[in-house]
Amino acid sequence: MPEILADLLITGGTVVNETSRFTADVAVKDGVVVFVGHPALAPKAGRTLDARGKFVIPGAIDVHTHIREPGMSHKEDWTTGTRAAAAGGVTTVFDMPNTDPPVWSLEALAMKREAAERQAMVNYGLYGLLDERNLDALEPLAKAGVIGFKLFYGNTTGNLPAPNDGAVLEGFEILAELGLRCSIHAENSPMLFWRENRMKAAGRDDAFAHLSARADIVALESLNRSIVLSEWTGARIHIVHESCMRSIPVIRDAKARGVPMTVETCPQYVLIAAEDLTGDAGRVARLNPPIREGRQREPILQALLDGTIDILGTDHAPHAMEEKQRPSFWDNACGFPGVETSMRLMLTLVHEGRMSLEQYVRMAGAAPARAFGLYPRKGVVQPGADGDLVVVDPAKRGIIRGAALHSERSRFTPFEGMETVGAPVATVVRGRVVMQDGQVLDAPGWGRMERPEMAKPEPRNLATTTKAILRKDARPW
C-alpha cells in the first residue's frame, strides 16, 4: 500500500483566498496545510474529501461571540456554542468576557479556559475585561494568552458598569505597551439610560422605543471618544458591531490619520430594517446596538465591501427562549444566535452578485486574522497555515429556521424564513472534519486556545501617561 503522508486531502475544489482563486488539491498533516497544488502532485492521505464543483476557503473567524459559560450556561455553553460554529463554517470564535464571573482576573480566565478545553469543537480566543477595577490585571492576563481586551462603554448582559474615562485612558496606556487590541462596545451609557428612563416614564413600551433610546448620537459620541483615546495613547482598538452610517466618515477620517483601529459589522445591520420589526419580530431582534432604519443598510454594506469596515462578526448572543418572550419590550433580553447563520447569509449575497467570494474571505477570515495577530497562520489557504478550512457549495439552497439551530437552548433567529443560496458543507478544524453535509461530528476538546502574535506599537505621549506622572519628579514634557 502507498505510504500515507497526510491526514486529510481535499480534492477537486477551487481554492479562494482574499485576492485569488484557483483549482487545487489541499492536504493537511498534523493540523497544518502541507500542500496546495496540482492533483498529480498531491500526497496520499488517510482521508479524502471530494470538493468538485465547490470552493475551499479559510475557516471563518468570528471575533465577537458570547458563549455564556461560565455562569449563564442556561443560555449557551461551550458544547452548544462551538457545535453551532462548526455547523456554520466558523473554525475560530473569540469569546467576550461578560460571563459570570467576568474575565477580569487570572482566576476567572482559568475557569473559562477549563470549560473551553473540555468542550470546544473549534478553536477559540478568550477576551479579558478592561475595567476600572482590574487595571493591575491587564498585563498578567496578556501574559496568560488572552486574544485581546473588551471595553463595555454601553450596557450589556451581565450589567457591567462602564468604566470612567480616566480609567480607560490609563488602561489604553497599558494596552499600548502590551500591543494587544481592545474591542469596544461604543455606546454612551449615560445618554441611552437617560433617554430610556424618560420614555419609560412617558409610557413608551413598543418595538421602536429601544432604537429611540440608542439613536445614532449615542454611538457617534462613544466612537469619537474611543478614537481620541486611541490616537492619544497609541492603543490598538476594534469597534464592534458598527450599525450607524453616520459613523462611516468618522472612521475613514480616523484611519487616514493613522489611528490604529479596525471595525466590524454584523449580518443583521446589512439585511434587516427596523421598520419591519414589530410584535414578536421586534422581541427576537432586540439587541445592542439596535437594528436601524432600512436606509442605513446599504451604506454599512458598502463600507464593509470597500474595507472601511474591516471585519464581519456576528455578536452571537444566545438567551433562553423565555428571556425573549416577556410582555414588556424593555424586559426582553438583548441578542440572538448568529454564528451558525452568518456564512449562509453572506454566501447568498455572493450568489446575488452583491459581493464577491474573495471579499467574503477577506472580511470573515483574512482581516480578523490580521487584526488580532493570527495571520498568516489563519485567514488564508496556503502551505504553513493552520488546517482550518471550509468546503462551500455555492448552489446549496435552504431556509433558515430557528428550530434547526445547534444553539439548542436558544433556537430563535431574526432571519427566520429567509431563503439562502450557498452553504458550508464541510468544516475542518486543524485537519479534522468536524462538520460534513450539515451533520456536526462531535469532537469535544479538539479546539485550541489561540494566542495573538502582535508587534508592539510605540506608545505616544509617554511623558504624560498615568504611570509617568506618578513619579515625584515628573514633568509634563
Side-chain angles (χ1 to χ4, degrees), residues 254-277:
K255 287 187 171 185
R257 298 199 309 272
V259 177
M261 70 182 299
T262 54
V263 184
E264 84 185 37
T265 193
C266 309
Q268 53 266 29
Y269 300 122
V270 299
L271 294 174
I272 303 177
E275 296 91 321
D276 300 328
L277 298 178

Side-chain angles (χ1 to χ4, degrees), residues 193-313:
F193 280 126
W194 178 271
R195 292 169 68 89
E196 181 176 317
N197 290 333
R198 293 279 286 164
M199 283 190 290
K200 287 178 178 178
R204 284 287 304 274
D205 185 15
D206 57 84
F208 305 118
H210 183 62
L211 174 58
S212 298
R214 295 167 185 261
D216 292 5
I217 182 61
V218 171
L220 278 169
E221 189 285 329
S222 189
L223 170 66
N224 276 280
R225 186 170 14 136
S226 301
I227 288 170
V228 168
L229 292 171
S230 169
E231 192 166 24
W232 180 262
T233 61
R236 295 184 174 105
I237 62 171
H238 175 66
I239 303 298
V240 302
H241 45 45
E242 182 55 67
S243 63
C244 177
M245 67 181 184
R246 292 178 175 85
S247 298
I248 295 169
V250 176
I251 294 165
R252 287 186 177 132
D253 182 64
K255 287 187 171 185
R257 298 199 309 272
V259 177
M261 70 182 299
T262 54
V263 184
E264 84 185 37
T265 193
C266 309
Q268 53 266 29
Y269 300 122
V270 299
L271 294 174
I272 303 177
E275 296 91 321
D276 300 328
L277 298 178
T278 58
D280 288 343
R283 290 181 173 85
V284 169
R286 186 174 188 239
L287 81 162
N288 304 322
I291 292 168
R292 300 192 185 277
E293 309 93 318
R295 63 190 174 86
Q296 302 218 37
R297 291 178 294 180
E298 191 62 24
I300 291 291
L301 176 60
Q302 291 306 313
L304 179 63
L305 295 179
D306 69 26
T308 302
I309 296 175
D310 308 80
I311 292 170
L312 181 77

Side-chain angles (χ1 to χ4, degrees), residues 54 344 347-348 392-398 420-425 437-438:
K54 302 177 178 66
R344 287 174 61 187
L347 290 174
T348 303
V392 167
D393 183 346
K396 186 174 178 62
R397 292 179 176 268
T420 60
V421 183
V425 293
D437 298 328

Side-chain angles (χ1 to χ4, degrees), residues 34-82:
V34 294
F35 175 84
V36 180
H38 194 280
L41 303 176
K44 302 294 183 183
R47 179 172 182 179
T48 300
L49 279 180
D50 185 353
R52 285 175 295 178
K54 302 177 178 66
F55 297 110
V56 181
I57 66 174
I61 301 170
D62 192 338
V63 304
H64 192 159
T65 70
H66 298 270
I67 302 298
R68 304 299 196 197
E69 188 179 11
M72 290 179 271
S73 55
H74 67 286
K75 303 173 186 280
E76 182 89 285
D77 61 25
W78 282 94
T79 296
T80 59
T82 58

Side-chain angles (χ1 to χ4, degrees), residues 248-469:
I248 295 169
V250 176
I251 294 165
R252 287 186 177 132
D253 182 64
K255 287 187 171 185
R257 298 199 309 272
V259 177
M261 70 182 299
T262 54
V263 184
E264 84 185 37
T265 193
C266 309
Q268 53 266 29
Y269 300 122
V270 299
L271 294 174
I272 303 177
E275 296 91 321
D276 300 328
L277 298 178
T278 58
D280 288 343
R283 290 181 173 85
V284 169
R286 186 174 188 239
L287 81 162
N288 304 322
I291 292 168
R292 300 192 185 277
E293 309 93 318
R295 63 190 174 86
Q296 302 218 37
R297 291 178 294 180
E298 191 62 24
I300 291 291
L301 176 60
Q302 291 306 313
L304 179 63
L305 295 179
D306 69 26
T308 302
I309 296 175
D310 308 80
I311 292 170
L312 181 77
T314 65
D315 194 6
H316 173 80
H319 296 282
M321 294 291 288
E322 60 271 17
E323 295 171 330
K324 296 290 284 187
Q325 297 172 335
R326 293 164 179 157
S328 170
F329 274 92
W330 295 115
D331 294 337
N332 275 278
C334 292
F336 46 77
V339 72
E340 186 170 346
T341 54
S342 178
M343 186 177 291
R344 287 174 61 187
L345 292 165
M346 294 301 106
L347 290 174
T348 303
L349 294 187
V350 172
H351 171 77
E352 294 171 351
R354 298 178 68 190
M355 72 168 61
S356 70
L357 188 53
E358 287 85 350
Q359 286 174 314
Y360 173 72
V361 168
R362 171 183 56 78
M363 65 182 69
R370 277 194 294 267
F372 287 88
L374 301 179
Y375 191 89
R377 187 162 57 80
K378 295 189 185 296
V380 62
V381 182
Q382 66 181 21
D386 287 350
D388 297 342
L389 307 163
V390 177
V391 179
V392 167
D393 183 346
K396 186 174 178 62
R397 292 179 176 268
I399 298 175
I400 291 178
R401 297 295 185 195
L405 295 179
H406 288 77
S407 293
E408 59 190 44
R409 302 177 191 117
S410 186
R411 284 180 164 157
F412 53 84
T413 173
F415 306 109
E416 181 72 35
M418 283 195 180
E419 297 182 2
T420 60
V421 183
V425 293
T427 303
V428 178
V429 177
R430 294 178 17 248
R432 181 169 180 171
V433 179
V434 297
M435 184 277 286
Q436 189 169 9
D437 298 328
Q439 298 299 311
V440 177
L441 311 174
D442 282 357
W446 182 248
R448 177 181 63 190
M449 181 171 167
E450 300 294 346
R451 296 167 176 260
E453 298 176 10
M454 306 282 283
K456 292 184 180 180
E458 186 65 33
R460 304 176 189 179
N461 304 301
L462 288 172
T464 60
T465 63
T466 307
K467 181 179 178 180
I469 63 173

Side-chain angles (χ1 to χ4, degrees), residues 147-167:
I147 198 68
F149 288 85
K150 178 67 180 286
L151 166 61
F152 292 97
Y153 267 137
N155 72 309
T156 182
T157 298
N159 295 319
L160 297 173
N164 71 69
D165 290 340

